[in-house]
Amino acid sequence: MRAAILHAPRQPLVIEDVELSDTLPNEVRVRVVASGLCHSDYARMVGDRACPFPALLGHEVSGVIEQVGKAVWHVRPGDAVIVGAPHCGACRECQAGRLHRCDAPPTRQGPPRITLGGHPVFQFVDIGGFAETVLVDGRAVVKVPDGVPVDLAALFGCAVISGVGAVTHCARVQPGALVAVIGCGGVGLNAIQGARIAGAERIVAVDVNPVKLEMAKLFGATDVVLGGPGSAEQVLELTKGGVDYAFEVVGRPETIVQALAMLRRGGAAVLVGIPKAGAEVSLQTDVIFRKELRVLSTRSGSVSLQSAVEWLARWYLAGDLALEPLVARRIGLNDIGQAIDQLARGEVARTLITFDTRGGVGPETARPSA
Ligand code: NAD
Ligand code: ZN
């Protein structure tokens, strides 16, 4: 099967023919319908965060089950699913329903699941979604709720759950709250729509790209501020003293500092963006104590995909949660390189790599192969 492989940081992805191993009893094989491009993939491509090579990135995936292992009961071939991160189901966190915090995600048993010329290929988040097919732990897949288009359901797997969940399950934004969101990419736009649905009174969108600020308004931003060194002061002025919650959805030390600087008394900076490995932030402790500020961090929206998927679908079906407007482009696997350049420039919300679900050729086969 074809997959976009990263051989080393800062190298272009190469479309390769890789081998998938047999499906183990605890696994499912999923024919990918859509796979989103997230900044967390990009961080591995440029070496901001490490991973083994060769690597198969992609972790925002939906598809159709092709094969289920003998020990998997909750899905069957033909089911449309969203692929999430694996969890063990037995650790303290899983037992408490916090599957996203699993202490001991099932380690891969047996031979490598994906190989390239006999060498093991690393599957990012144990998914590896930039491929025609994924082989994953059965517990990682969740059925696509009725009424949600299968390709758009991929967005639930990362952008939607990470952005919306940061608001609903990490910060627990209350109606009437004052909110700022720094970074209006795929995840930040979801924090904005989450805050709108939660009833925030003001939602100030901050981004260095004016196009993103226009998009932010469509998702519910009430005010916009151009990102940069003076943005915290502008937010303080606009909100007459600062916001209750500032979501940092860029992943840079300077925007984390800005998030803290735009808070009012008792406010919380919510760290969603993931900085470069080893990054440090220096905090003005005087201000933190004087204003009784809080710093929160969130991973995958601080909620499990399994428990969130039904209410997210209800919000979508009620017309509250926008999915299609998040999709800037649908591309074939061969065009992934160009889409990565756009992601690097912060130009688009989400790009979906889509595959023909009728089991035949993907849209990219109309072009010469890369
Ligand atoms: P993206 O590239 O789509 O969006 C980033 C946005 O930030 C862009 O609109 C860009 O213009 C803007 N930006 C860049 N520099 C800025 C600055 N100095 N001030 C204001 N805006 C600025 O990225 P994404 O996929 O939405 O991901 C955002 C961040 O969230 C990344 O760090 C990613 O790794 C992280 N992430 C975290 C989780 C989690 O579970 N915590 C999940 C997914 C992604
Ligand atoms: Zn992601």
Side-chain angles (χ1 to χ4, degrees):
M1 67 124 183
R2 290 183 333 126
I5 300 292
L6 180 67
H7 288 276
R10 300 190 175 275
Q11 295 298 309
L13 300 190
V14 184
I15 309 295
E16 308 260 22
D17 223 339
V18 298
E19 264 127 53
L20 220 54
S21 113
D22 292 338
T23 308
L24 292 174
N26 64 307
E27 291 180 331
V28 294
R29 200 175 72 209
V30 181
R31 184 155 40 84
V32 177
V33 169
S35 184
L37 269 178
C38 170
H39 209 99
S40 301
D41 300 307
Y42 182 71
R44 271 79 196 171
M45 293 178 207
V46 293
D48 281 353
R49 300 200 71 85
C51 72
F53 295 103
L56 178 48
L57 303 173
H59 60 280
E60 187 177 88
V61 176
S62 60
V64 176
I65 299 267
E66 268 183 352
Q67 195 181 32
V68 299
K70 284 193 210 107
V72 178
W73 296 99
H74 69 298
V75 286
R76 52 168 79 171
D79 283 348
V81 293
I82 305 162
V83 183
H87 62 273
C88 73
C91 71
R92 189 170 181 273
E93 295 297 330
C94 284
Q95 292 282 303
R98 296 184 291 261
L99 310 183
H100 64 287
R101 270 196 212 160
C102 174
D103 272 339
T107 45
R108 297 259 151 180
Q109 318 147 18
R113 320 311 299 134
I114 303 178
T115 49
L116 174 62
H119 299 287
V121 173
F122 168 70
Q123 276 174 279
F124 184 39
V125 195
D126 274 332
I127 299 177
F130 296 159
E132 291 170 323
T133 307
V134 294
L135 183 58
V136 295
D137 189 86
R139 284 166 289 200
V141 300
V142 182
K143 278 191 202 173
V144 174
D146 289 344
V148 180
V150 180
D151 62 342
L152 293 178
L155 300 167
F156 281 178
C158 183
V160 173
I161 198 158
S162 305
V164 172
V167 170
T168 56
H169 285 68
C170 178
R172 301 182 184 273
V173 168
Q174 311 84 6
L178 306 177
V179 167
V181 176
I182 311 173
C184 306
V187 183
L189 291 171
N190 278 293
I192 290 173
Q193 61 177 341
R196 190 198 75 238
I197 298 168
E201 188 180 309
R202 298 278 289 275
I203 304 169
V204 187
V206 184
D207 201 293
V208 286
N209 185 339
V211 175
K212 289 296 184 56
L213 296 178
E214 287 310 307
M215 287 186 77
K217 288 184 198 164
L218 301 176
F219 284 83
T222 56
D223 306 82
V224 297
V225 164
L226 196 61
S231 56
E233 289 70 26
Q234 286 187 59
V235 174
L236 289 170
E237 201 177 301
L238 264 173
T239 53
K240 298 192 170 49
V243 290
D244 300 305
Y245 301 97
F247 293 87
E248 197 280 351
V249 204
V250 181
R252 300 175 80 98
E254 62 270 28
T255 34
I256 293 174
V257 170
Q258 286 167 14
L260 274 154
M262 59 180 69
L263 294 174
R264 65 173 53 233
R265 286 179 190 277
V270 185
L271 311 189
V272 188
I274 305 172
K276 208 172 166 155
E280 289 184 4
V281 179
S282 76
L283 304 175
Q284 287 190 339
T285 47
D286 291 357
V287 182
I288 292 186
F289 282 105
R290 183 160 48 78
K291 291 179 133 184
E292 205 187 332
L293 303 181
R294 293 170 296 147
V295 179
L296 310 174
S297 73
T298 171
R299 214 171 144 224
S300 298
S302 310
V303 60
S304 75
L305 183 64
Q306 282 75 358
S307 71
V309 75
E310 289 299 333
W311 56 262
L312 287 172
R314 262 200 312 280
W315 286 5
Y316 167 73
L317 294 170
D320 292 329
L321 187 81
L323 294 180
E324 186 62 47
L326 289 168
V327 183
R329 289 176 71 203
R330 287 175 170 76
I331 61 163
L333 192 60
N334 282 359
D335 292 327
I336 192 166
Q338 198 194 70
I340 291 162
D341 293 341
Q342 284 183 319
L343 177 72
R345 292 193 295 266
E347 284 176 4
V348 291
R350 271 308 198 240
T351 297
L352 282 183
I353 302 161
T354 56
F355 298 84
D356 191 320
T357 49
R358 285 158 295 186
V361 290
E364 70 279 7
T365 50
R367 300 180 190 90
S369 61

